Amino acid sequence: YEIRLSLVGSEMCIRDSFVLVQQLLPPNLLNKEFFFYLSKKKFTTTCWLRSISQIDYLEEPDMFHDVFAHVPLLSNKEYTSFFMEIGKIAMSVIEDPIKLKKLQRIYWFTIEFGLIKKDKKFKIYGAGIISSKEESNNVLSNKSLKKKFNVKKVMDHSFRIDVVQDTYYYISSFKELTLSLNEIRENIYE
């Protein structure tokens, strides 16, 4: 895919994909406003950049994280379809904190901290890993646990944003994410 960015007011468009919106959101990462924009095929970006002393690990997104780690994958149709559908499902249960927490976990362990396993090798696609030297080193080491993506297990797996992750989930392709949407819906709407 070819990515072409064009400035339209305060929005940048990726052709046939997502619109990047510079929108300040509260520090609570996966909140109502975030999922609202996601459900409308709009990806919110931050407007600040980490300092050099924060290059190893940062617990909140910055422009480097958004542009370097998220934007390239926004040209992948299966990935963006999954991305937008998670936003739509979240908006349908936004007032239910238990169901929303399950979707936040799906987002966290895929979009932010997901891996793809190809030919017995792990490849990083999660933006939280890509944008963190410490997280990247950890995921590629034997110190971390890598588990096959399983909707139910991921929905039940809590996470912390202030530490390097100890467990990651892997898929075999982005198509696996889109194929998991029905199972995600079944678990959310049961």
Side-chain angles (χ1 to χ4, degrees), residues 16-18 41 73-85:
D16 299 326
S17 192
F18 261 66
K41 211 172 183 181
L73 285 173
L74 293 180
S75 66
N76 181 296
K77 289 185 188 268
E78 288 174 335
Y79 177 89
T80 55
S81 174
F82 176 78
F83 213 29
M84 184 175 67
E85 289 302 315

Side-chain angles (χ1 to χ4, degrees), residues 64 68-69 73 112 124-133 135-136:
F64 176 75
F68 180 72
L73 285 173
E112 292 297 338
I124 299 166
Y125 76 89
I129 305 170
I130 292 171
S131 64
S132 169
K133 179 182 174 186
E135 200 76 57
S136 295

Side-chain angles (χ1 to χ4, degrees), residues 62-125:
D62 68 339
M63 287 187 308
F64 176 75
H65 170 88
D66 291 339
V67 174
F68 180 72
H70 280 296
V71 168
L73 285 173
L74 293 180
S75 66
N76 181 296
K77 289 185 188 268
E78 288 174 335
Y79 177 89
T80 55
S81 174
F82 176 78
F83 213 29
M84 184 175 67
E85 289 302 315
I86 290 297
K88 288 179 178 179
I89 297 167
M91 288 308 297
S92 72
V93 296
I94 203 71
E95 302 302 328
D96 185 328
I98 294 169
K99 291 178 179 182
L100 190 59
K101 178 69 72 184
K102 290 179 179 187
L103 287 169
Q104 290 169 332
R105 290 171 177 168
I106 291 287
Y107 184 92
W108 186 260
F109 287 111
T110 57
I111 303 301
E112 292 297 338
F113 291 94
L115 299 171
I116 291 181
K117 188 174 185 181
K118 293 252 189 214
D119 302 322
K120 299 182 182 179
K121 292 184 180 181
F122 291 104
K123 298 182 180 199
I124 299 166
Y125 76 89

Side-chain angles (χ1 to χ4, degrees), residues 24-57:
L24 296 174
L25 296 178
N28 176 5
L29 293 178
L30 302 170
N31 59 29
K32 183 176 183 175
E33 291 83 4
F34 174 81
F35 283 122
F36 170 77
Y37 280 106
L38 202 59
S39 73
K40 301 297 183 193
K41 211 172 183 181
K42 294 185 176 192
F43 179 70
T44 57
T45 63
T46 54
C47 61
W48 72 280
L49 191 58
R50 68 185 75 184
S51 70
I52 195 69
S53 66
Q54 298 168 308
I55 202 71
D56 287 340
Y57 182 79

